[in-house]
Amino acid sequence: MPTEEGQDRAFTPALGRGPTRLYDAALRVFTRERRWRGAVMDAVAAANPRTVLDVGCGTGTLAIGMASRIPGALVTGLDPDTEALAIAARKTAGVRQSIAWRIGFASDAALDGRASAFDVVTCTLVLHQVPLAGKAVGLSAMQAALRPGGRLVLADYSEQRLPLMRALFRLTVQRIDGREDTQPNADGVLPRLIAGAGFADVAESMVIPTPSGSISILTATKVG
């Protein structure tokens, strides 16, 4: 997902230094994927949305799951990685689901007619790869993409509170993605950044220990 450094708008691929084709397998092994994805989909389904934007959709697993879980909802997957989007498109070939795949960064969330267009915005395992300034810009764009009263549902590596989780995070995520962009997440910056982007009711609803560190489920609401 994006680093958006200068005009080149470079991004960190889904698996960091690893090949994108192995991303899905890596999530299953290292992140307890079914646990956190299930928690995200529960939070999304509770909002009964008509429109959902999945920022940093990667290879599309969550977007496809949400489209299946919420029949009739239009799900848009947004990602700058054309290789990941090609994998997502192959997964949905011949499947009748209301999913649109779009190329773009987190900061593009509200562009191309997407401003105030969504009931729910999701963002999973993206922001830990993004520089601090880019995290704030991306969250502001997600806020702009939501309708008033819309919900943000985010799953990511957040504060690593326990020594074991901090050690696992260093040995896995920080070896793959580096320390500079990931450390602010481990230090607990995300709730403050979400509030700073204009969201209300910021809450950490769940912390899930995994072999790569703890993953937090964070929710917030757009007001006004």
Side-chain angles (χ1 to χ4, degrees), residues 39-40 42-44 121 150-155 191 194-195 199-206 216-222:
V40 169
D42 287 346
V44 173
V121 170
R151 296 285 287 168
L152 174 70
V153 182
L154 188 153
I194 294 169
F199 287 99
D201 303 322
V202 181
E204 183 182 59
S205 62
M206 189 178 298
S216 294
I217 308 299
L218 297 158
T219 60
T221 304
K222 178 176 178 174

mmCIF file with all atom_site columns, all heavy atoms in Angstrom, residues 39-40 42-44 121 150-155 191 194-195 199-206 216-222:
data_model
loop_
_atom_site.group_PDB
_atom_site.id
_atom_site.type_symbol
_atom_site.label_atom_id
_atom_site.label_alt_id
_atom_site.label_comp_id
_atom_site.label_asym_id
_atom_site.label_entity_id
_atom_site.label_seq_id
_atom_site.pdbx_PDB_ins_code
_atom_site.Cartn_x
_atom_site.Cartn_y
_atom_site.Cartn_z
_atom_site.occupancy
_atom_site.B_iso_or_equiv
_atom_site.pdbx_formal_charge
_atom_site.auth_seq_id
_atom_site.auth_comp_id
_atom_site.auth_asym_id
_atom_site.auth_atom_id
_atom_site.pdbx_PDB_model_num
ATOM 1   N N   . ALA A 1 39  ? -14.010 -10.506 12.375 1.00 0.00 ? 39  ALA A N   1
ATOM 2   C CA  . ALA A 1 39  ? -14.388 -9.384  13.233 1.00 0.00 ? 39  ALA A CA  1
ATOM 3   C C   . ALA A 1 39  ? -14.702 -8.140  12.410 1.00 0.00 ? 39  ALA A C   1
ATOM 4   O O   . ALA A 1 39  ? -15.651 -7.393  12.710 1.00 0.00 ? 39  ALA A O   1
ATOM 5   C CB  . ALA A 1 39  ? -13.266 -9.093  14.232 1.00 0.00 ? 39  ALA A CB  1
ATOM 6   N N   . VAL A 1 40  ? -13.919 -7.905  11.361 1.00 0.00 ? 40  VAL A N   1
ATOM 7   C CA  . VAL A 1 40  ? -14.180 -6.755  10.487 1.00 0.00 ? 40  VAL A CA  1
ATOM 8   C C   . VAL A 1 40  ? -15.537 -6.921  9.792  1.00 0.00 ? 40  VAL A C   1
ATOM 9   O O   . VAL A 1 40  ? -16.350 -5.984  9.752  1.00 0.00 ? 40  VAL A O   1
ATOM 10  C CB  . VAL A 1 40  ? -13.052 -6.589  9.455  1.00 0.00 ? 40  VAL A CB  1
ATOM 11  C CG1 . VAL A 1 40  ? -13.445 -5.568  8.378  1.00 0.00 ? 40  VAL A CG1 1
ATOM 12  C CG2 . VAL A 1 40  ? -11.768 -6.151  10.142 1.00 0.00 ? 40  VAL A CG2 1
ATOM 13  N N   . ASP A 1 42  ? -18.094 -8.677  10.723 1.00 0.00 ? 42  ASP A N   1
ATOM 14  C CA  . ASP A 1 42  ? -19.169 -8.517  11.698 1.00 0.00 ? 42  ASP A CA  1
ATOM 15  C C   . ASP A 1 42  ? -19.483 -7.045  11.927 1.00 0.00 ? 42  ASP A C   1
ATOM 16  O O   . ASP A 1 42  ? -20.653 -6.643  11.984 1.00 0.00 ? 42  ASP A O   1
ATOM 17  C CB  . ASP A 1 42  ? -18.774 -9.165  13.029 1.00 0.00 ? 42  ASP A CB  1
ATOM 18  C CG  . ASP A 1 42  ? -18.809 -10.687 12.990 1.00 0.00 ? 42  ASP A CG  1
ATOM 19  O OD1 . ASP A 1 42  ? -19.379 -11.258 12.038 1.00 0.00 ? 42  ASP A OD1 1
ATOM 20  O OD2 . ASP A 1 42  ? -18.247 -11.306 13.912 1.00 0.00 ? 42  ASP A OD2 1
ATOM 21  N N   . ALA A 1 43  ? -18.430 -6.226  12.078 1.00 0.00 ? 43  ALA A N   1
ATOM 22  C CA  . ALA A 1 43  ? -18.621 -4.795  12.320 1.00 0.00 ? 43  ALA A CA  1
ATOM 23  C C   . ALA A 1 43  ? -19.247 -4.111  11.113 1.00 0.00 ? 43  ALA A C   1
ATOM 24  O O   . ALA A 1 43  ? -20.105 -3.222  11.260 1.00 0.00 ? 43  ALA A O   1
ATOM 25  C CB  . ALA A 1 43  ? -17.285 -4.144  12.668 1.00 0.00 ? 43  ALA A CB  1
ATOM 26  N N   . VAL A 1 44  ? -18.849 -4.519  9.930  1.00 0.00 ? 44  VAL A N   1
ATOM 27  C CA  . VAL A 1 44  ? -19.424 -3.937  8.714  1.00 0.00 ? 44  VAL A CA  1
ATOM 28  C C   . VAL A 1 44  ? -20.885 -4.342  8.563  1.00 0.00 ? 44  VAL A C   1
ATOM 29  O O   . VAL A 1 44  ? -21.761 -3.505  8.311  1.00 0.00 ? 44  VAL A O   1
ATOM 30  C CB  . VAL A 1 44  ? -18.610 -4.361  7.471  1.00 0.00 ? 44  VAL A CB  1
ATOM 31  C CG1 . VAL A 1 44  ? -19.312 -3.904  6.188  1.00 0.00 ? 44  VAL A CG1 1
ATOM 32  C CG2 . VAL A 1 44  ? -17.198 -3.782  7.534  1.00 0.00 ? 44  VAL A CG2 1
ATOM 33  N N   . VAL A 1 121 ? -16.259 2.493   5.393  1.00 0.00 ? 121 VAL A N   1
ATOM 34  C CA  . VAL A 1 121 ? -14.928 2.371   4.801  1.00 0.00 ? 121 VAL A CA  1
ATOM 35  C C   . VAL A 1 121 ? -14.129 1.399   5.655  1.00 0.00 ? 121 VAL A C   1
ATOM 36  O O   . VAL A 1 121 ? -14.090 1.530   6.885  1.00 0.00 ? 121 VAL A O   1
ATOM 37  C CB  . VAL A 1 121 ? -14.201 3.722   4.719  1.00 0.00 ? 121 VAL A CB  1
ATOM 38  C CG1 . VAL A 1 121 ? -12.729 3.520   4.336  1.00 0.00 ? 121 VAL A CG1 1
ATOM 39  C CG2 . VAL A 1 121 ? -14.871 4.642   3.703  1.00 0.00 ? 121 VAL A CG2 1
ATOM 40  N N   . GLY A 1 150 ? -21.358 7.718   8.708  1.00 0.00 ? 150 GLY A N   1
ATOM 41  C CA  . GLY A 1 150 ? -20.709 6.515   8.207  1.00 0.00 ? 150 GLY A CA  1
ATOM 42  C C   . GLY A 1 150 ? -19.651 5.998   9.166  1.00 0.00 ? 150 GLY A C   1
ATOM 43  O O   . GLY A 1 150 ? -19.169 6.713   10.044 1.00 0.00 ? 150 GLY A O   1
ATOM 44  N N   . ARG A 1 151 ? -19.269 4.732   8.979  1.00 0.00 ? 151 ARG A N   1
ATOM 45  C CA  . ARG A 1 151 ? -18.366 4.064   9.910  1.00 0.00 ? 151 ARG A CA  1
ATOM 46  C C   . ARG A 1 151 ? -17.038 3.711   9.253  1.00 0.00 ? 151 ARG A C   1
ATOM 47  O O   . ARG A 1 151 ? -16.987 3.256   8.110  1.00 0.00 ? 151 ARG A O   1
ATOM 48  C CB  . ARG A 1 151 ? -19.004 2.768   10.416 1.00 0.00 ? 151 ARG A CB  1
ATOM 49  C CG  . ARG A 1 151 ? -20.260 2.974   11.227 1.00 0.00 ? 151 ARG A CG  1
ATOM 50  C CD  . ARG A 1 151 ? -19.938 3.477   12.620 1.00 0.00 ? 151 ARG A CD  1
ATOM 51  N NE  . ARG A 1 151 ? -19.372 2.433   13.465 1.00 0.00 ? 151 ARG A NE  1
ATOM 52  C CZ  . ARG A 1 151 ? -18.802 2.662   14.640 1.00 0.00 ? 151 ARG A CZ  1
ATOM 53  N NH1 . ARG A 1 151 ? -18.679 3.890   15.103 1.00 0.00 ? 151 ARG A NH1 1
ATOM 54  N NH2 . ARG A 1 151 ? -18.334 1.656   15.360 1.00 0.00 ? 151 ARG A NH2 1
ATOM 55  N N   . LEU A 1 152 ? -15.976 3.914   9.993  1.00 0.00 ? 152 LEU A N   1
ATOM 56  C CA  . LEU A 1 152 ? -14.658 3.409   9.648  1.00 0.00 ? 152 LEU A CA  1
ATOM 57  C C   . LEU A 1 152 ? -14.422 2.128   10.442 1.00 0.00 ? 152 LEU A C   1
ATOM 58  O O   . LEU A 1 152 ? -14.637 2.082   11.657 1.00 0.00 ? 152 LEU A O   1
ATOM 59  C CB  . LEU A 1 152 ? -13.583 4.429   10.019 1.00 0.00 ? 152 LEU A CB  1
ATOM 60  C CG  . LEU A 1 152 ? -12.126 3.961   9.851  1.00 0.00 ? 152 LEU A CG  1
ATOM 61  C CD1 . LEU A 1 152 ? -11.764 3.822   8.376  1.00 0.00 ? 152 LEU A CD1 1
ATOM 62  C CD2 . LEU A 1 152 ? -11.164 4.929   10.552 1.00 0.00 ? 152 LEU A CD2 1
ATOM 63  N N   . VAL A 1 153 ? -13.999 1.074   9.761  1.00 0.00 ? 153 VAL A N   1
ATOM 64  C CA  . VAL A 1 153 ? -13.633 -0.178  10.417 1.00 0.00 ? 153 VAL A CA  1
ATOM 65  C C   . VAL A 1 153 ? -12.216 -0.517  9.957  1.00 0.00 ? 153 VAL A C   1
ATOM 66  O O   . VAL A 1 153 ? -11.982 -0.754  8.769  1.00 0.00 ? 153 VAL A O   1
ATOM 67  C CB  . VAL A 1 153 ? -14.595 -1.328  10.075 1.00 0.00 ? 153 VAL A CB  1
ATOM 68  C CG1 . VAL A 1 153 ? -14.193 -2.589  10.837 1.00 0.00 ? 153 VAL A CG1 1
ATOM 69  C CG2 . VAL A 1 153 ? -16.036 -0.946  10.405 1.00 0.00 ? 153 VAL A CG2 1
ATOM 70  N N   . LEU A 1 154 ? -11.305 -0.524  10.892 1.00 0.00 ? 154 LEU A N   1
ATOM 71  C CA  . LEU A 1 154 ? -9.886  -0.666  10.567 1.00 0.00 ? 154 LEU A CA  1
ATOM 72  C C   . LEU A 1 154 ? -9.305  -1.836  11.363 1.00 0.00 ? 154 LEU A C   1
ATOM 73  O O   . LEU A 1 154 ? -9.560  -1.970  12.556 1.00 0.00 ? 154 LEU A O   1
ATOM 74  C CB  . LEU A 1 154 ? -9.170  0.644   10.906 1.00 0.00 ? 154 LEU A CB  1
ATOM 75  C CG  . LEU A 1 154 ? -7.717  0.851   10.492 1.00 0.00 ? 154 LEU A CG  1
ATOM 76  C CD1 . LEU A 1 154 ? -7.456  2.340   10.307 1.00 0.00 ? 154 LEU A CD1 1
ATOM 77  C CD2 . LEU A 1 154 ? -6.762  0.294   11.528 1.00 0.00 ? 154 LEU A CD2 1
ATOM 78  N N   . ALA A 1 155 ? -8.539  -2.672  10.692 1.00 0.00 ? 155 ALA A N   1
ATOM 79  C CA  . ALA A 1 155 ? -7.793  -3.742  11.367 1.00 0.00 ? 155 ALA A CA  1
ATOM 80  C C   . ALA A 1 155 ? -6.328  -3.593  10.987 1.00 0.00 ? 155 ALA A C   1
ATOM 81  O O   . ALA A 1 155 ? -5.995  -3.573  9.798  1.00 0.00 ? 155 ALA A O   1
ATOM 82  C CB  . ALA A 1 155 ? -8.309  -5.119  10.961 1.00 0.00 ? 155 ALA A CB  1
ATOM 83  N N   . PRO A 1 191 ? -5.110  5.428   17.128 1.00 0.00 ? 191 PRO A N   1
ATOM 84  C CA  . PRO A 1 191 ? -6.309  6.103   17.640 1.00 0.00 ? 191 PRO A CA  1
ATOM 85  C C   . PRO A 1 191 ? -6.204  7.624   17.601 1.00 0.00 ? 191 PRO A C   1
ATOM 86  O O   . PRO A 1 191 ? -7.182  8.309   17.262 1.00 0.00 ? 191 PRO A O   1
ATOM 87  C CB  . PRO A 1 191 ? -6.411  5.583   19.082 1.00 0.00 ? 191 PRO A CB  1
ATOM 88  C CG  . PRO A 1 191 ? -5.752  4.237   19.028 1.00 0.00 ? 191 PRO A CG  1
ATOM 89  C CD  . PRO A 1 191 ? -4.604  4.416   18.077 1.00 0.00 ? 191 PRO A CD  1
ATOM 90  N N   . ILE A 1 194 ? -6.655  8.741   13.964 1.00 0.00 ? 194 ILE A N   1
ATOM 91  C CA  . ILE A 1 194 ? -8.055  8.614   13.536 1.00 0.00 ? 194 ILE A CA  1
ATOM 92  C C   . ILE A 1 194 ? -8.878  9.787   14.069 1.00 0.00 ? 194 ILE A C   1
ATOM 93  O O   . ILE A 1 194 ? -9.655  10.412  13.335 1.00 0.00 ? 194 ILE A O   1
ATOM 94  C CB  . ILE A 1 194 ? -8.635  7.266   14.003 1.00 0.00 ? 194 ILE A CB  1
ATOM 95  C CG1 . ILE A 1 194 ? -7.923  6.105   13.293 1.00 0.00 ? 194 ILE A CG1 1
ATOM 96  C CG2 . ILE A 1 194 ? -10.137 7.200   13.736 1.00 0.00 ? 194 ILE A CG2 1
ATOM 97  C CD1 . ILE A 1 194 ? -8.242  4.732   13.874 1.00 0.00 ? 194 ILE A CD1 1
ATOM 98  N N   . ALA A 1 195 ? -8.698  10.110  15.334 1.00 0.00 ? 195 ALA A N   1
ATOM 99  C CA  . ALA A 1 195 ? -9.407  11.260  15.911 1.00 0.00 ? 195 ALA A CA  1
ATOM 100 C C   . ALA A 1 195 ? -8.976  12.550  15.228 1.00 0.00 ? 195 ALA A C   1
ATOM 101 O O   . ALA A 1 195 ? -9.808  13.432  14.948 1.00 0.00 ? 195 ALA A O   1
ATOM 102 C CB  . ALA A 1 195 ? -9.142  11.333  17.412 1.00 0.00 ? 195 ALA A CB  1
ATOM 103 N N   . PHE A 1 199 ? -12.704 11.990  12.959 1.00 0.00 ? 199 PHE A N   1
ATOM 104 C CA  . PHE A 1 199 ? -13.643 10.953  13.385 1.00 0.00 ? 199 PHE A CA  1
ATOM 105 C C   . PHE A 1 199 ? -14.007 11.117  14.847 1.00 0.00 ? 199 PHE A C   1
ATOM 106 O O   . PHE A 1 199 ? -13.228 11.632  15.653 1.00 0.00 ? 199 PHE A O   1
ATOM 107 C CB  . PHE A 1 199 ? -13.029 9.567   13.187 1.00 0.00 ? 199 PHE A CB  1
ATOM 108 C CG  . PHE A 1 199 ? -12.950 9.122   11.753 1.00 0.00 ? 199 PHE A CG  1
ATOM 109 C CD1 . PHE A 1 199 ? -11.764 9.248   11.042 1.00 0.00 ? 199 PHE A CD1 1
ATOM 110 C CD2 . PHE A 1 199 ? -14.055 8.575   11.122 1.00 0.00 ? 199 PHE A CD2 1
ATOM 111 C CE1 . PHE A 1 199 ? -11.674 8.828   9.725  1.00 0.00 ? 199 PHE A CE1 1
ATOM 112 C CE2 . PHE A 1 199 ? -13.976 8.147   9.803  1.00 0.00 ? 199 PHE A CE2 1
ATOM 113 C CZ  . PHE A 1 199 ? -12.782 8.273   9.096  1.00 0.00 ? 199 PHE A CZ  1
ATOM 114 N N   . ALA A 1 200 ? -15.199 10.649  15.191 1.00 0.00 ? 200 ALA A N   1
ATOM 115 C CA  . ALA A 1 200 ? -15.657 10.610  16.581 1.00 0.00 ? 200 ALA A CA  1
ATOM 116 C C   . ALA A 1 200 ? -15.823 9.154   17.002 1.00 0.00 ? 200 ALA A C   1
ATOM 117 O O   . ALA A 1 200 ? -15.792 8.237   16.187 1.00 0.00 ? 200 ALA A O   1
ATOM 118 C CB  . ALA A 1 200 ? -16.980 11.354  16.726 1.00 0.00 ? 200 ALA A CB  1
ATOM 119 N N   . ASP A 1 201 ? -16.010 8.967   18.300 1.00 0.00 ? 201 ASP A N   1
ATOM 120 C CA  . ASP A 1 201 ? -16.282 7.638   18.860 1.00 0.00 ? 201 ASP A CA  1
ATOM 121 C C   . ASP A 1 201 ? -15.215 6.615   18.476 1.00 0.00 ? 201 ASP A C   1
ATOM 122 O O   . ASP A 1 201 ? -15.514 5.460   18.146 1.00 0.00 ? 201 ASP A O   1
ATOM 123 C CB  . ASP A 1 201 ? -17.653 7.124   18.408 1.00 0.00 ? 201 ASP A CB  1
ATOM 124 C CG  . ASP A 1 201 ? -18.784 8.067   18.773 1.00 0.00 ? 201 ASP A CG  1
ATOM 125 O OD1 . ASP A 1 201 ? -18.722 8.654   19.869 1.00 0.00 ? 201 ASP A OD1 1
ATOM 126 O OD2 . ASP A 1 201 ? -19.707 8.228   17.964 1.00 0.00 ? 201 ASP A OD2 1
ATOM 127 N N   . VAL A 1 202 ? -13.962 7.039   18.532 1.00 0.00 ? 202 VAL A N   1
ATOM 128 C CA  . VAL A 1 202 ? -12.867 6.134   18.193 1.00 0.00 ? 202 VAL A CA  1
ATOM 129 C C   . VAL A 1 202 ? -12.746 5.073   19.292 1.00 0.00 ? 202 VAL A C   1
ATOM 130 O O   . VAL A 1 202 ? -12.643 5.402   20.477 1.00 0.00 ? 202 VAL A O   1
ATOM 131 C CB  . VAL A 1 202 ? -11.546 6.896   18.049 1.00 0.00 ? 202 VAL A CB  1
ATOM 132 C CG1 . VAL A 1 202 ? -10.405 5.951   17.675 1.00 0.00 ? 202 VAL A CG1 1
ATOM 133 C CG2 . VAL A 1 202 ? -11.674 8.019   17.012 1.00 0.00 ? 202 VAL A CG2 1
ATOM 134 N N   . ALA A 1 203 ? -12.762 3.807   18.898 1.00 0.00 ? 203 ALA A N   1
ATOM 135 C CA  . ALA A 1 203 ? -12.735 2.728   19.888 1.00 0.00 ? 203 ALA A CA  1
ATOM 136 C C   . ALA A 1 203 ? -11.914 1.563   19.367 1.00 0.00 ? 203 ALA A C   1
ATOM 137 O O   . ALA A 1 203 ? -11.943 1.238   18.173 1.00 0.00 ? 203 ALA A O   1
ATOM 138 C CB  . ALA A 1 203 ? -14.149 2.256   20.209 1.00 0.00 ? 203 ALA A CB  1
ATOM 139 N N   . GLU A 1 204 ? -11.181 0.949   20.264 1.00 0.00 ? 204 GLU A N   1
ATOM 140 C CA  . GLU A 1 204 ? -10.490 -0.303  19.975 1.00 0.00 ? 204 GLU A CA  1
ATOM 141 C C   . GLU A 1 204 ? -11.384 -1.416  20.514 1.00 0.00 ? 204 GLU A C   1
ATOM 142 O O   . GLU A 1 204 ? -11.447 -1.643  21.717 1.00 0.00 ? 204 GLU A O   1
ATOM 143 C CB  . GLU A 1 204 ? -9.115  -0.320  20.640 1.00 0.00 ? 204 GLU A CB  1
ATOM 144 C CG  . GLU A 1 204 ? -8.302  -1.562  20.339 1.00 0.00 ? 204 GLU A CG  1
ATOM 145 C CD  . GLU A 1 204 ? -6.954  -1.548  21.060 1.00 0.00 ? 204 GLU A CD  1
ATOM 146 O OE1 . GLU A 1 204 ? -6.963  -1.478  22.317 1.00 0.00 ? 204 GLU A OE1 1
ATOM 147 O OE2 . GLU A 1 204 ? -5.918  -1.585  20.379 1.00 0.00 ? 204 GLU A OE2 1
ATOM 148 N N   . SER A 1 205 ? -12.061 -2.114  19.620 1.00 0.00 ? 205 SER A N   1
ATOM 149 C CA  . SER A 1 205 ? -13.058 -3.093  20.055 1.00 0.00 ? 205 SER A CA  1
ATOM 150 C C   . SER A 1 205 ? -12.477 -4.470  20.318 1.00 0.00 ? 205 SER A C   1
ATOM 151 O O   . SER A 1 205 ? -13.109 -5.287  21.001 1.00 0.00 ? 205 SER A O   1
ATOM 152 C CB  . SER A 1 205 ? -14.167 -3.202  19.000 1.00 0.00 ? 205 SER A CB  1
ATOM 153 O OG  . SER A 1 205 ? -13.641 -3.652  17.761 1.00 0.00 ? 205 SER A OG  1
ATOM 154 N N   . MET A 1 206 ? -11.282 -4.738  19.782 1.00 0.00 ? 206 MET A N   1
ATOM 155 C CA  . MET A 1 206 ? -10.711 -6.070  19.930 1.00 0.00 ? 206 MET A CA  1
ATOM 156 C C   . MET A 1 206 ? -9.211  -6.008  19.693 1.00 0.00 ? 206 MET A C   1
ATOM 157 O O   . MET A 1 206 ? -8.738  -5.226  18.860 1.00 0.00 ? 206 MET A O   1
ATOM 158 C CB  . MET A 1 206 ? -11.358 -7.023  18.920 1.00 0.00 ? 206 MET A CB  1
ATOM 159 C CG  . MET A 1 206 ? -11.029 -8.487  19.093 1.00 0.00 ? 206 MET A CG  1
ATOM 160 S SD  . MET A 1 206 ? -11.921 -9.509  17.862 1.00 0.00 ? 206 MET A SD  1
ATOM 161 C CE  . MET A 1 206 ? -13.628 -9.162  18.298 1.00 0.00 ? 206 MET A CE  1
ATOM 162 N N   . SER A 1 216 ? -5.246  -4.988  16.063 1.00 0.00 ? 216 SER A N   1
ATOM 163 C CA  . SER A 1 216 ? -6.384  -4.329  16.725 1.00 0.00 ? 216 SER A CA  1
ATOM 164 C C   . SER A 1 216 ? -7.495  -4.047  15.721 1.00 0.00 ? 216 SER A C   1
ATOM 165 O O   . SER A 1 216 ? -7.238  -3.708  14.566 1.00 0.00 ? 216 SER A O   1
ATOM 166 C CB  . SER A 1 216 ? -5.943  -3.007  17.358 1.00 0.00 ? 216 SER A CB  1
ATOM 167 O OG  . SER A 1 216 ? -5.030  -3.230  18.411 1.00 0.00 ? 216 SER A OG  1
ATOM 168 N N   . ILE A 1 217 ? -8.721  -4.191  16.183 1.00 0.00 ? 217 ILE A N   1
ATOM 169 C CA  . ILE A 1 217 ? -9.895  -3.756  15.427 1.00 0.00 ? 217 ILE A CA  1
ATOM 170 C C   . ILE A 1 217 ? -10.299 -2.393  15.966 1.00 0.00 ? 217 ILE A C   1
ATOM 171 O O   . ILE A 1 217 ? -10.624 -2.266  17.164 1.00 0.00 ? 217 ILE A O   1
ATOM 172 C CB  . ILE A 1 217 ? -11.063 -4.739  15.552 1.00 0.00 ? 217 ILE A CB  1
ATOM 173 C CG1 . ILE A 1 217 ? -10.625 -6.164  15.218 1.00 0.00 ? 217 ILE A CG1 1
ATOM 174 C CG2 . ILE A 1 217 ? -12.219 -4.300  14.664 1.00 0.00 ? 217 ILE A CG2 1
ATOM 175 C CD1 . ILE A 1 217 ? -10.112 -6.378  13.824 1.00 0.00 ? 217 ILE A CD1 1
ATOM 176 N N   . LEU A 1 218 ? -10.244 -1.378  15.131 1.00 0.00 ? 218 LEU A N   1
ATOM 177 C CA  . LEU A 1 218 ? -10.569 -0.010  15.528 1.00 0.00 ? 218 LEU A CA  1
ATOM 178 C C   . LEU A 1 218 ? -11.760 0.477   14.725 1.00 0.00 ? 218 LEU A C   1
ATOM 179 O O   . LEU A 1 218 ? -11.835 0.254   13.519 1.00 0.00 ? 218 LEU A O   1
ATOM 180 C CB  . LEU A 1 218 ? -9.363  0.917   15.274 1.00 0.00 ? 218 LEU A CB  1
ATOM 181 C CG  . LEU A 1 218 ? -8.108  0.593   16.066 1.00 0.00 ? 218 LEU A CG  1
ATOM 182 C CD1 . LEU A 1 218 ? -6.871  1.175   15.403 1.00 0.00 ? 218 LEU A CD1 1
ATOM 183 C CD2 . LEU A 1 218 ? -8.235  1.131   17.485 1.00 0.00 ? 218 LEU A CD2 1
ATOM 184 N N   . THR A 1 219 ? -12.703 1.124   15.399 1.00 0.00 ? 219 THR A N   1
ATOM 185 C CA  . THR A 1 219 ? -13.874 1.674   14.721 1.00 0.00 ? 219 THR A CA  1
ATOM 186 C C   . THR A 1 219 ? -14.026 3.150   15.078 1.00 0.00 ? 219 THR A C   1
ATOM 187 O O   . THR A 1 219 ? -13.541 3.612   16.118 1.00 0.00 ? 219 THR A O   1
ATOM 188 C CB  . THR A 1 219 ? -15.143 0.912   15.122 1.00 0.00 ? 219 THR A CB  1
ATOM 189 O OG1 . THR A 1 219 ? -15.348 1.022   16.541 1.00 0.00 ? 219 THR A OG1 1
ATOM 190 C CG2 . THR A 1 219 ? -15.052 -0.556  14.739 1.00 0.00 ? 219 THR A CG2 1
ATOM 191 N N   . ALA A 1 220 ? -14.701 3.874   14.199 1.00 0.00 ? 220 ALA A N   1
ATOM 192 C CA  . ALA A 1 220 ? -14.940 5.305   14.424 1.00 0.00 ? 220 ALA A CA  1
ATOM 193 C C   . ALA A 1 220 ? -16.101 5.736   13.542 1.00 0.00 ? 220 ALA A C   1
ATOM 194 O O   . ALA A 1 220 ? -16.512 5.018   12.619 1.00 0.00 ? 220 ALA A O   1
ATOM 195 C CB  . ALA A 1 220 ? -13.694 6.120   14.111 1.00 0.00 ? 220 ALA A CB  1
ATOM 196 N N   . THR A 1 221 ? -16.634 6.914   13.820 1.00 0.00 ? 221 THR A N   1
ATOM 197 C CA  . THR A 1 221 ? -17.811 7.422   13.116 1.00 0.00 ? 221 THR A CA  1
ATOM 198 C C   . THR A 1 221 ? -17.525 8.805   12.544 1.00 0.00 ? 221 THR A C   1
ATOM 199 O O   . THR A 1 221 ? -16.871 9.627   13.188 1.00 0.00 ? 221 THR A O   1
ATOM 200 C CB  . THR A 1 221 ? -19.002 7.527   14.076 1.00 0.00 ? 221 THR A CB  1
ATOM 201 O OG1 . THR A 1 221 ? -19.234 6.252   14.677 1.00 0.00 ? 221 THR A OG1 1
ATOM 202 C CG2 . THR A 1 221 ? -20.267 7.994   13.352 1.00 0.00 ? 221 THR A CG2 1
ATOM 203 N N   . LYS A 1 222 ? -18.036 9.060   11.336 1.00 0.00 ? 222 LYS A N   1
ATOM 204 C CA  . LYS A 1 222 ? -17.991 10.405  10.775 1.00 0.00 ? 222 LYS A CA  1
ATOM 205 C C   . LYS A 1 222 ? -19.206 11.177  11.236 1.00 0.00 ? 222 LYS A C   1
ATOM 206 O O   . LYS A 1 222 ? -20.337 10.718  11.103 1.00 0.00 ? 222 LYS A O   1
ATOM 207 C CB  . LYS A 1 222 ? -17.977 10.347  9.245  1.00 0.00 ? 222 LYS A CB  1
ATOM 208 C CG  . LYS A 1 222 ? -17.986 11.742  8.602  1.00 0.00 ? 222 LYS A CG  1
ATOM 209 C CD  . LYS A 1 222 ? -17.870 11.682  7.095  1.00 0.00 ? 222 LYS A CD  1
ATOM 210 C CE  . LYS A 1 222 ? -17.920 13.056  6.492  1.00 0.00 ? 222 LYS A CE  1
ATOM 211 N NZ  . LYS A 1 222 ? -17.657 13.045  5.030  1.00 0.00 ? 222 LYS A NZ  1
#
